[in-house]
Amino acid sequence: MFEVLVFVFENYWRGDACPELAHLERKLNTVGFDAEEIQDALVWLKDLNLAASGLQQPVTSRDEADCKATASAPFFSQSPNTMRIYSAQEQSCLSVESLGFMTFLESSGVLTPHMREIVIDRAMAASADPVLLDDLKIIVLMVFWSLGKEPDALVLDELCESSAERIAH
């Protein structure tokens, strides 16, 4: 699925330049991606678009309604002194390196709390278990892409650089 996402990112620099999902599916089939990977990526992208636009899934129970009402409080109003505690499920889904990298991006001011939550949501929806650092970087890029934001050049370099190829000085 991540190869499909990278292809979409590279060929449609901005999220609003991406064609409708049916047209994108035909394009991805033409390029030669596996049908199952394409379907996984299209569902993932559709849900990313919903998350980026602030839409939520319908609530099915009162407990979920209470939880979603609390969760839908504006992220921009969070105090700078707040700390995100990851659930056991999130910790098992995200590698230690991925969690550390997200903390780094957030403390550097690159990821807003709202963007962080979208990244976590999309990481939890990814088929990889756990989500490795290179895959998390793709997710972060796709969140920027879906919001129509371009990361700073240094951040973009950090997100696009493979951690395996880095040489320590």
Side-chain angles (χ1 to χ4, degrees), residues 141-169:
L141 278 172
M142 293 306 292
V143 168
F144 272 101
W145 177 82
S146 70
L147 295 171
K149 296 183 178 186
E150 187 174 331
D152 177 87
L154 291 175
V155 172
L156 188 60
D157 186 49
E158 183 69 30
L159 290 172
C160 292
E161 182 179 307
S162 173
S163 55
E165 297 172 7
R166 182 174 296 168
I167 299 173
H169 295 290

Side-chain angles (χ1 to χ4, degrees), residues 65-162:
D66 292 342
C67 182
K68 287 194 184 254
T70 303
S72 67
F75 290 107
F76 57 83
S77 65
Q78 289 184 1
S79 166
N81 298 325
T82 60
M83 180 170 64
R84 172 67 155 85
I85 305 296
Y86 295 94
S87 71
Q89 184 181 11
E90 290 168 341
Q91 290 179 35
S92 68
C93 180
L94 296 162
S95 69
V96 172
E97 293 83 11
S98 295
L99 289 169
F101 188 70
M102 271 198 323
T103 302
F104 163 72
L105 290 176
E106 190 174 5
S107 66
S108 301
V110 173
L111 275 183
T112 65
H114 180 250
M115 291 173 71
R116 176 200 62 219
E117 293 304 315
I118 295 173
V119 169
I120 293 169
D121 174 68
R122 296 294 74 219
M124 298 292 289
S127 56
D129 191 26
V131 174
L132 301 176
L133 180 58
D134 286 340
D135 294 338
L136 180 81
K137 288 179 178 183
I138 294 168
I139 293 171
V140 171
L141 278 172
M142 293 306 292
V143 168
F144 272 101
W145 177 82
S146 70
L147 295 171
K149 296 183 178 186
E150 187 174 331
D152 177 87
L154 291 175
V155 172
L156 188 60
D157 186 49
E158 183 69 30
L159 290 172
C160 292
E161 182 179 307
S162 173

